[in-house]
Amino acid sequence: LDIHVKLYSSPEALRFNLTNYYGSVWTAMASIGNPPRKYTLMVDTGSPDTWIMGGGCQSKACSAHRLYDSKDSSTSILLPGEFRMTYASGEIKGRHIKDVFRFQETTNHKRQTEDEGVRLTFGQLAAPPMPFQKKYRWYPFDGVLGLGLPEVEDTAKSPRLKSVTFIDKILRKSANTNEGDLQRLNKNGGEFSLYFSKGQQSKQLESQLIIGPADRQLYVAPLKYVYVDRPASFWSTRMSSLSLGAKSFCRAKDVCQIVFDTGSTLISGPEAMVDALLSQIKVNADCDGINDLPTLEMTIGGPTSTASTAHKLKIELTPEDYVARIPVKNSSAEACFIGIVPHKLPAEMGSIWTLGSRFHQKYYTVFDPARLRVGIALAA
């Protein structure tokens, strides 16, 4: 994967500039194969899988995007079996491909040679996935870059990866490690972090994906960690309380979970809980009265099977954080709506709440796959 990287103050970190599309989607520019072709990929911490639309797509929605075709790359390898992954709205399928992903980085002012790169497996899809079919033509990305937590075995002593995902490959490469276990990755500081610029197309600090130590210039101390609560392909942790003003919506008996998901824009939760929450707040379409709305408070984290002494963390989202603003066409005005929506996940998954990119605009997040934890601090 050939993501354009600028190396700044720390020689131990790689920085990937991300593009902010109207405060809802963040993308990285990438290139794959030989000869390399560039693609725009949405950054998604909600899934560990990477996929790109394939050259065989017949949908009109695909005509506005650059499509990957393994036949056009001399380094591609067609793997046996189908590529499969599951979104909340259903399963997607495609060809299982391995190809060369390259980097353009500056390390001590010396650029990598074209031959350097890493082979990665990903999905080449024949049609847009169900969540994107209706609007894929208008989306500013050709595929998805999966930064979700790789699936691990539930062992407290030495969790190991069952498969090598994109972010695992990148972390190992940046740390100069071979294919080893998570302990070696841990020793070399295998973290990555995300800074999402504020506003819809901020001209302040650039949005960034950082592989390596967290950047202290991008957050306001302290940086506190919560631990992943279960061995799944989610960056998730427990939520012991959710309140809006004096009203509580997630109590101990509900066994709530929070998922950090940059592939989503809004905050989402179980339908019954969200309906009850939305009945307490109203916002006018012209954005009048936003400042009168209450603050949304969550208490997350706490002890897990691998971190028995972990502390809980309280996070707050003000009305400016959970109310979405949309520019009115041909006008300088804005329209507003509550950026909290219901989802319908299988009951066996429990009471899951998803924190989308609006949360990540307020909070700088650090993802640590070796220690199975997520660091959170107010973004600068």
Side-chain angles (χ1 to χ4, degrees), residues 292-306:
D292 297 329
L293 296 176
T295 295
L296 185 64
E297 297 183 348
M298 305 176 187
T299 302
I300 63 174
T304 69
S305 59
T306 57

Side-chain angles (χ1 to χ4, degrees), residues 115-332:
D115 292 333
E116 291 181 325
V118 60
R119 288 189 176 272
L120 177 72
T121 57
F122 58 96
Q124 176 185 323
L125 307 189
M130 185 63 68
F132 309 125
Q133 282 185 358
K134 292 183 179 180
K135 299 180 180 180
Y136 179 69
R137 178 181 178 84
W138 313 111
Y139 284 172
F141 55 86
D142 306 311
V144 168
L145 178 63
L147 301 179
L149 182 66
E151 190 175 0
V152 298
E153 296 177 2
D154 188 13
T155 57
K157 291 185 178 180
S158 180
R160 299 179 63 89
L161 295 176
K162 291 183 178 179
S163 61
V164 179
T165 65
F166 169 83
I167 195 60
D168 180 53
K169 280 277 191 178
I170 302 313
L171 288 169
R172 294 175 192 279
K173 186 173 182 63
S174 68
N176 294 319
T177 64
N178 297 318
E179 295 292 341
D181 60 21
L182 282 174
Q183 298 305 311
R184 290 193 64 182
L185 184 61
N186 181 18
K187 183 179 179 180
N188 286 277
E191 294 184 339
F192 72 95
S193 56
L194 288 166
Y195 175 83
F196 282 3
S197 57
K198 297 177 176 60
Q200 296 187 352
Q201 288 178 307
S202 176
K203 298 185 182 301
Q204 299 174 345
L205 292 172
E206 290 181 297
S207 300
Q208 297 174 38
L209 162 62
I210 301 170
I211 297 176
D215 187 338
R216 295 183 180 181
Q217 295 182 352
L218 296 180
Y219 67 87
V220 179
L223 176 68
K224 296 184 177 181
Y225 285 88
V226 294
Y227 285 79
V228 174
D229 191 43
R230 55 185 177 181
S233 298
F234 294 114
W235 292 105
S236 64
T237 192
R238 298 178 185 180
M239 178 168 65
S240 55
S241 71
L242 170 67
S243 61
L244 187 73
K247 290 281 186 177
S248 296
F249 299 92
C250 184
R251 294 170 292 274
K253 66 180 181 64
D254 297 315
V255 192
C256 294
Q257 294 273 337
I258 279 290
V259 175
F260 302 92
D261 182 10
T262 60
S264 300
T265 301
L266 307 177
I267 299 167
S268 65
E271 188 171 22
M273 289 186 183
V274 169
D275 288 347
L277 187 151
L278 292 180
S279 69
Q280 304 297 313
I281 50 177
K282 304 292 182 183
V283 62
N284 295 325
D286 62 1
C287 305
D288 183 47
I290 287 180
N291 293 333
D292 297 329
L293 296 176
T295 295
L296 185 64
E297 297 183 348
M298 305 176 187
T299 302
I300 63 174
T304 69
S305 59
T306 57
S308 59
T309 60
H311 297 290
K312 294 182 179 181
L313 174 63
K314 178 177 286 188
I315 56 177
E316 296 182 346
L317 295 174
T318 67
E320 285 295 333
D321 302 320
Y322 65 75
V323 174
R325 296 174 180 265
I326 301 176
V328 177
K329 190 174 181 180
N330 300 322
S331 170
S332 60

Side-chain angles (χ1 to χ4, degrees), residues 1 17 23 43 74 103 129 141 149 226 234 254 272 296 334 359-360:
L1 183 76
N17 285 340
V43 174
S74 63
F103 291 88
F141 55 86
L149 182 66
V226 294
F234 294 114
D254 297 315
L296 185 64
E334 293 180 314
F359 166 84
H360 293 274

Side-chain angles (χ1 to χ4, degrees), residues 50-63:
T50 295
W51 60 261
I52 306 168
M53 285 309 308
C57 180
Q58 301 298 317
S59 169
K60 291 183 179 180
C62 290
S63 62

